[in-house]
Amino acid sequence: MRTLIATAILVFCLQLVGCNRSDSKLTFSAHSKLSIPKSAKLIQSGGQYAGFDASYGFAFEVSDAALQKQLVKEWNLEPAEKSGGGFFKFAKHSWWPTDNKLVKMELSFSREDKQNEEYWLVWCDQSNGKLYAEHGRW
C-alpha cells in the first residue's frame, strides 16, 4: 500500500512540474507551419508543465527581422505593452531572460485566445541579435 501511495504522489508531482523530453512540442516546428528563415538560428528550447497546462519557450539568434515578421503574421500577433514572460518563466531555464530583461527589450508582440486558453508572446532583443518566443496553454 505504501508503494502505491508513493507512486501516486510521484506521478502527481511529475505532472505538476518539470519538462517532459518526449514531448513533440519541444520542437519549434510543432508551433510554426513555416520553416525558420536562414537569418535565424534556434539556440535553445524548453517546456514548462503544470498538469495539463504547458508552455514552450524558444530562443533564437537573428541577424534581421525576418523571423519576427514571420511569427507576427503566422501567429496573428499585435504589438504589445512591455511585459514580462508568461508561464514559461517558471521553468527557470538559465538561458531564458528574466521578466526585468524582457520588459527592456525593444519590441514585443502578443496574442491571447481566451476561448481556446492559448497564448503567444514574442520579444525582440535587437541590440543583442536575439528573439524569444513563447507559446502556451492554460
Side-chain angles (χ1 to χ4, degrees):
M1 183 66 168
R2 283 180 149 172
T3 305
L4 181 60
I5 292 171
T7 302
I9 291 170
L10 177 62
V11 168
F12 177 74
C13 289
L14 288 174
Q15 287 179 332
L16 288 179
V17 295
C19 181
N20 181 352
R21 285 288 172 201
S22 65
D23 186 348
S24 64
K25 290 191 176 187
L26 287 170
T27 63
F28 190 69
S29 61
H31 304 272
S32 175
K33 294 177 180 119
L34 305 171
S35 59
I36 298 169
K38 293 183 189 272
S39 60
K41 178 183 175 188
L42 178 64
I43 54 175
Q44 296 286 348
S45 66
Q48 170 63 19
Y49 308 91
F52 293 110
D53 299 337
S55 183
Y56 302 91
F58 303 92
F60 295 88
E61 287 180 348
V62 294
S63 58
D64 62 22
L67 179 60
Q68 169 203 316
K69 290 176 182 177
Q70 175 180 315
L71 293 176
V72 166
K73 184 176 181 178
E74 181 182 5
W75 290 352
N76 196 27
L77 304 177
E78 296 290 332
E81 296 288 323
K82 301 283 183 176
S83 70
F87 179 61
F88 184 72
K89 66 184 165 192
F90 296 110
K92 303 216 182 276
H93 291 286
S94 60
W95 51 267
W96 190 255
T98 62
D99 279 354
N100 189 39
K101 289 181 181 177
L102 290 172
V103 168
K104 293 177 183 174
M105 292 187 188
E106 293 91 345
L107 296 170
S108 60
F109 304 89
S110 69
R111 180 167 69 92
E112 188 176 284
D113 181 342
K114 291 182 180 182
Q115 182 177 352
N116 293 315
E117 298 179 337
E118 193 169 8
Y119 69 92
W120 299 261
L121 299 163
V122 170
W123 299 268
C124 303
D125 184 0
Q126 295 172 318
S127 58
N128 291 309
K130 298 275 173 52
L131 181 141
Y132 299 92
E134 180 176 348
H135 179 211
R137 297 188 63 95
W138 70 89

